[in-house]
Amino acid sequence: MLAIASGPDLLRLLVIPFFGYVAWRDIETRRVPNRTWIPLALLAVVLLVWELYAVTTGDVAAFRQRQFYIRVAISLGFIVPITYLFWLIGGFGGADAKAFFIIAVLFPTYPEYALAELGVGGALASLPVVETAIGVFSLTILSNTVLAGAAYPLVLAGKNAVTGYVSPGMFVAKPIRAEQAIEEYGTLLEFPDRRLIDDLSPSGLRSYFDWRRLDLDALRMYLQWRDLTLAELRENPDRYRDPATLPDEPNHPGDGMIETDGGEPTDANGSVPEPAEDQPAYDDPWGAEAFLDDIEGSAYGTTPEGLREGLDTLSSEEVVWLSPGIPFLVPLFFGLVISFTYGDMLFAVLGAIGFA
């Protein structure tokens, strides 16, 4: 089989291996350097200018011109602002936002790949198979990415249910051994308990879902700043809770990335130990406020209270609950592949039930 397409659409196929690479980076390090996006951003701008020139100056019907301009306007005017909004409220990371900015520019309309049989030349079919009525390909990529990402919490919930962890948190967290927290990426959560909700008032619901949390990158930054290991902290929490033990010249905190391979973290199950007894009162337990005041910038939005609560949990419990989060570039890669081949899954489903 041979794929026949325009020059811009053939060049757009380069995004598939590119996003395969950044998805791998996202899994391994949760970081994609800014310079990684520059070649693809340049390609997106060149292809958009190329097609704008071709549509404007070529022998294209006025209706088709207006249709192209409208789709470009929707792609840039909707995808870019909504992506920026999600980034502002913390729904997207910086790399996720950059990815969708580029996709908005790169895919305002559907690419088309006619499949021809070698030696015959007759067109048999074309990809993507399912196109939407609005015809904005970046919207298809976005919806397919959301659907691909929705599978992750369902798989996580199923795994937790098998191991006996049943609560609203089963969709967002997994149990790990506390000493392995520094070997993971994600956010430390603490749920009130494993019982069902028994207070349906607004304040009761807020309390039930008010899960304390600590970004594990911030934990690694704190430990490096103190020149301390998690094992040392767990072995003598009373000592290190005292801010008098802070170093006179702290280390540079780094950015919290995992520096050693650390092996494969192992999930753990079992009952959560009872909270530790009340500890002596300090003006700044664990030196959390001193740490955040000393470093430049933010430790991933961590507050002194959140850091203290996380350290209390890690120092007193054997099992903690980790929300690994979704490396969003991974479902984006799968959403992209589905979009190039099958097309718009949501539109197909809605069409099957009579809503599209």
Side-chain angles (χ1 to χ4, degrees):
M1 302 294 287
L2 177 67
I4 302 174
S6 67
D9 284 348
L10 287 175
L11 288 173
R12 287 185 172 99
L13 291 173
L14 294 173
V15 305
I16 296 178
F18 176 88
F19 274 100
Y21 166 73
V22 296
W24 172 81
R25 288 273 314 184
D26 204 19
I27 292 173
E28 291 295 311
T29 68
R30 300 293 173 93
R31 287 160 176 80
V32 180
N34 288 332
R35 63 180 180 275
T36 307
W37 302 102
I38 295 175
L40 196 63
L42 292 175
L43 176 65
V45 172
V46 168
L47 294 184
L48 180 60
V49 171
W50 182 348
E51 290 193 325
L52 281 170
Y53 178 80
V55 169
T56 303
T57 63
D59 186 17
V60 179
F63 169 74
R64 293 297 181 188
Q65 285 185 340
R66 288 194 301 271
Q67 189 178 59
F68 178 79
Y69 298 147
I70 290 171
R71 288 170 177 170
V72 170
I74 292 173
S75 187
L76 298 180
F78 179 77
I79 296 292
V80 171
I82 197 171
T83 299
Y84 182 69
L85 176 62
F86 271 97
W87 174 77
L88 280 179
I89 65 176
F92 280 167
D96 305 329
K98 294 182 186 74
F100 274 107
F101 288 163
I102 291 172
I103 282 174
V105 179
L106 196 57
F107 295 110
T109 62
Y110 270 74
E112 184 175 354
Y113 304 95
L115 302 180
E117 186 176 352
L118 291 175
V120 178
L124 301 179
S126 65
L127 299 177
V129 176
V130 178
E131 298 188 16
T132 63
I134 195 171
V136 179
F137 195 55
S138 58
L139 291 178
T140 287
I141 296 172
L142 177 60
S143 66
N144 283 345
T145 298
V146 171
L147 291 176
Y152 177 81
L154 296 178
V155 171
L156 185 61
K159 182 178 179 180
N160 284 329
V162 169
T163 57
Y165 176 51
V166 180
S167 86
M170 68 191 293
F171 291 92
V172 296
K174 66 178 183 178
I176 65 168
R177 298 192 183 280
E179 65 266 21
Q180 294 177 317
I182 58 170
E183 300 172 5
E184 295 268 10
Y185 286 110
T187 303
L188 184 68
L189 304 184
E190 184 173 346
F191 307 107
D193 51 41
R194 300 184 193 180
R195 58 180 167 75
L196 297 176
I197 301 174
D198 58 6
D199 182 358
L200 297 180
S201 68
S203 60
L205 291 173
R206 281 196 301 270
S207 175
Y208 190 85
F209 289 101
D210 185 18
W211 302 332
R212 291 181 287 177
R213 54 189 61 202
L214 171 63
D215 191 294
L216 295 183
D217 282 348
L219 170 66
R220 281 183 284 271
M221 291 173 64
Y222 170 81
L223 293 173
Q224 180 170 317
W225 180 80
R226 288 199 69 167
D227 194 20
L228 188 65
T229 67
L230 183 57
E232 291 170 335
L233 183 145
R234 284 174 51 80
E235 185 177 350
N236 199 348
D238 292 343
R239 166 179 168 78
Y240 295 112
R241 190 177 283 106
D242 186 349
T245 61
L246 294 177
D248 293 332
E249 295 184 7
N251 293 332
H252 189 280
D255 66 354
M257 188 170 75
I258 298 174
E259 298 294 342
T260 60
D261 55 21
E264 289 295 328
T266 304
D267 285 1
N269 297 293
S271 60
V272 178
E274 293 297 323
E277 295 180 1
D278 291 340
Q279 300 296 330
Y282 300 110
D283 290 338
D284 183 19
W286 299 106
E289 190 169 350
F291 162 66
L292 293 172
D293 287 343
D294 184 63
I295 66 173
E296 296 181 2
S298 169
Y300 304 97
T302 302
T303 63
E305 293 76 14
L307 179 55
R308 290 176 189 131
E309 290 168 350
L311 293 170
D312 285 338
T313 298
L314 288 168
S315 65
S316 63
E317 299 186 357
E318 295 301 320
V319 174
V320 295
W321 303 102
L322 172 74
S323 174
I326 301 175
F328 201 73
L329 294 176
V330 177
L332 174 54
F333 170 68
F334 286 107
L336 191 68
V337 172
I338 294 168
S339 300
F340 267 94
T341 53
Y342 181 75
D344 198 295
M345 293 193 299
L346 180 60
F347 189 79
V349 171
L350 293 176
I353 61 178
F355 285 97

